[in-house]
Amino acid sequence: MTGNQGRWPKIDQDGIEDVTLLILEWLGEQGVNAMIRVDAERVADNAPAWTFAASGGPLEHGMRAEGRTVQQCMSAALSRLREAGLSVPF
């Protein structure tokens, strides 16, 4: 086990980190395949390490969003999902 490398949980100001799993569950109920992942190599390189990807269901084309934090990633993902016509209720 490598420990937390000096990182402590951050308090999310707008709550998106708290509802990420609910968003994924809701997308699945709509027939959308979705996932969020973190890439350890990108964390080490200080690059945008979080990726959200979704396809299927009412999405005409697959989509993805990236961010340096889960908050940035999911904020971009929600924006793109809404642009694609999905009214995500979170």
Side-chain angles (χ1 to χ4, degrees), residues 66-86:
E66 295 181 337
R68 290 190 181 280
T69 66
V70 69
Q71 183 178 8
Q72 289 176 349
C73 180
M74 289 305 296
S75 292
L78 286 175
S79 177
R80 292 189 183 134
L81 287 165
R82 289 180 178 135
E83 287 172 4
L86 280 172

Side-chain angles (χ1 to χ4, degrees), residues 1 20 23 31 42 49 53 57 66 83 90:
M1 186 176 246
T20 295
I23 292 167
R42 293 175 109 194
E66 295 181 337
E83 287 172 4
F90 299 97

Side-chain angles (χ1 to χ4, degrees), residues 11-85:
I11 297 172
D12 182 21
Q13 298 299 318
D14 65 8
I16 198 161
E17 291 176 354
D18 295 336
V19 297
T20 295
L21 294 178
L22 295 173
I23 292 167
L24 291 173
E25 184 176 28
W26 182 85
L27 288 169
E29 291 168 355
Q30 310 312 305
V32 175
N33 301 308
M35 65 170 223
I36 187 164
R37 70 180 294 264
V38 63
D39 185 321
E41 289 180 16
R42 293 175 109 194
V43 170
D45 291 340
N46 198 29
W50 289 91
T51 303
F52 171 88
S55 64
L59 292 175
E60 188 173 319
H61 303 286
M63 52 115 356
R64 67 184 275 161
E66 295 181 337
R68 290 190 181 280
T69 66
V70 69
Q71 183 178 8
Q72 289 176 349
C73 180
M74 289 305 296
S75 292
L78 286 175
S79 177
R80 292 189 183 134
L81 287 165
R82 289 180 178 135
E83 287 172 4

